[in-house]
Amino acid sequence: MTVSDGASPAAGTQDARARAVYGAVAELRAEVQVRADRMLADWPGAAGGAGLGDSVANLAAWLALRQIDLDALQGPLAALGLSTLGRCEGHVLASIDAVMATLAVLAGVPGVRHPCAATFTDAARVLEDRRDALFGAALGDSPSTRIMVTLPSEAADDPAFAEAVIAAGADCLRINTAHDGPDAWVRMATHVRAAAAAAGRHVPLMMDLAGPKLRITAVNSREKIRLHPGDRFALAPLIPVARKGRPKLYTASLSHPEVLEGLAPGDPVWIDDGVLRARVIGRIGMLVELEVTHARIKGGRIKPDKGVNLPGRSLDVPALTDIDRTRLGTVAGLADMVGFSFVQTVEDVRDLLRALEQEADGRPLPPVVLKIETPRAVANLPWLIVEAGSRVPLAVMIARGDLAVEIGLDRLSEIQEEMLWLCEAARVPVVWATQVLEGLVKQGLASRAEATDAAMAQRADCVMLNKGPHVVEGIAFLRDVLRRMDRHQHKKTPRMGRLNAWAPSGLEPGSGHGATPVRPQV
């Protein structure tokens, strides 16, 4: 795709430039349509059932568009005062058609009509309706991004916790079934329903299935051992009962011991989201010996229930585990939506939906939140959305903890941006998760980087706070940040509201959540 007609887009008369650009955009439009139709042909049944319908067609058009390099076209479009198609996620073909219609007027091409204006507003409304249906409707002065809060274990026996976080402004709550058990989950859900009813609100409850998360299951010492770079430890399928004192070789067992078979010298092994990092240096049978390569200054601990990652290695295990299946009846009976951990393939989605159908016994299936935590899941995301979205209401969670470990921290910012764009194109709500305001929630003090991260989260449809003693303060802080950012940003689109920080002397600054004017010191 090039700007043709023999004229430089920066030279010549406006109508000549417009004709050249019009031809290039028409060529682009045709190519996008062909590629999108080809993708839709591979997605049979995508518009059936609870399907995403037009949203899937728009997703296909966006994927087709983003396979084409638009850089050479964007400059000429901007020079003519037109959209450069950089914010077309929710309405791809309509955006191209609108540009073509204006170019046609400039170029004197007859018979090209602008798309209906409602096409653009309807796309945003569909996404907002889906957000509200899953994560709760707006509460008074709520920000546009909903807030989800993870319930700690103590919430099972403390009804006041649910009351406090709902009163503080939490829109929805979450139970992680990797912790506690069915009896505790039932008590948590009961307290949530009671607190929501007392507040006169519907507060949706999401329950995460644990999935095949690799975790430490046991260690061979009850001593609190801290490991530093150069120290050695081992992973084994089974270990002796923990004892006092420091063992000759500190050893831990894994929840999925079969993965030990594939580990070879040099392979990285990260524990607790990479807080402790090691590499394999050898093995004796199924016992794998490792050397620590990275730890905090005070050292790192290996404790039961800590997560384990094998960066660069794709684990070919089903996302729906046998344990998840035994718990699915309880989850389906309590939850307003089910979080699907470590989903990677279309077959994973089908497994979950078949299992939910068995539990539902003819009742409508609950909404599903696809938790994207591996490179394979990122690569398969469009297909996962189409498969799940054709059957149930759907959202996507950017689970940044495991995802950052698996793809590399240096790639996380890029990938989370692209996932936001893709989900907006599919009109699927997105949850921004993992370590949001972690310092504030756990220690009572947010870092500057955390405040910026919270502001970035405003472009998602829901943001998740994890558990911690200061979570109520975290909710208040997050609500304020999100409301302020609502003045300035909607998804990828900047909002050009009045800025108050540099109001000229003698003029009254605007009201709202803008900054207090800073008067120059001269």
Side-chain angles (χ1 to χ4, degrees), residues 326-375:
T326 64
R327 295 172 169 177
L328 201 56
T330 301
V331 170
L334 294 175
D336 296 295
M337 49 191 157
V338 176
F340 195 17
S341 300
F342 293 97
V343 57
Q344 296 194 105
T345 67
V346 166
E347 191 55 39
D348 285 337
V349 172
R350 292 171 181 164
D351 281 348
L352 176 65
L353 295 180
R354 283 192 292 262
L356 285 173
E357 283 178 338
Q358 292 175 359
E359 298 295 341
D361 194 25
R363 298 186 302 275
L365 301 185
V368 170
V369 179
L370 302 176
K371 297 178 63 181
I372 306 303
E373 304 176 78
T374 68

Side-chain angles (χ1 to χ4, degrees), residues 126-272:
V126 166
L127 182 53
E128 290 167 0
D129 289 347
R130 289 172 177 166
R131 173 203 62 198
D132 292 352
L134 267 64
F135 302 116
L139 171 67
D141 61 346
S142 288
S144 61
T145 301
R146 304 295 180 253
I147 298 175
M148 177 187 293
V149 174
T150 301
L151 295 173
S153 298
E154 51 266 33
D157 299 309
D158 182 11
F161 182 86
E163 295 170 3
V165 294
I166 289 173
D171 299 290
C172 48
L173 299 177
R174 167 183 177 255
I175 294 174
N176 184 357
T177 67
H179 307 290
D180 307 306
D183 291 343
W185 305 335
V186 170
R187 296 197 300 276
M188 289 180 192
T190 300
H191 298 328
V192 168
R193 304 300 185 213
R201 298 175 55 196
H202 171 59
V203 179
L205 178 64
M206 183 175 92
M207 294 183 69
D208 283 2
L209 300 174
K213 169 75 172 175
L214 273 179
R215 294 184 185 276
I216 300 294
T217 54
V219 294
N220 67 343
S221 174
R222 292 198 296 271
E223 183 179 337
K224 294 182 178 179
I225 297 173
R226 291 191 177 275
L227 300 174
H228 298 82
D231 289 342
R232 295 185 176 186
F233 68 98
L235 297 174
L238 295 172
I239 59 173
V241 176
R243 61 193 179 199
K244 289 185 178 180
R246 190 179 185 102
K248 183 176 180 180
L249 184 62
Y250 194 40
T251 305
S253 57
L254 288 180
S255 57
H256 295 74
E258 63 272 17
V259 305
L260 295 174
E261 297 181 16
L263 291 180
D267 284 350
V269 176
W270 288 15
I271 297 172
D272 194 15

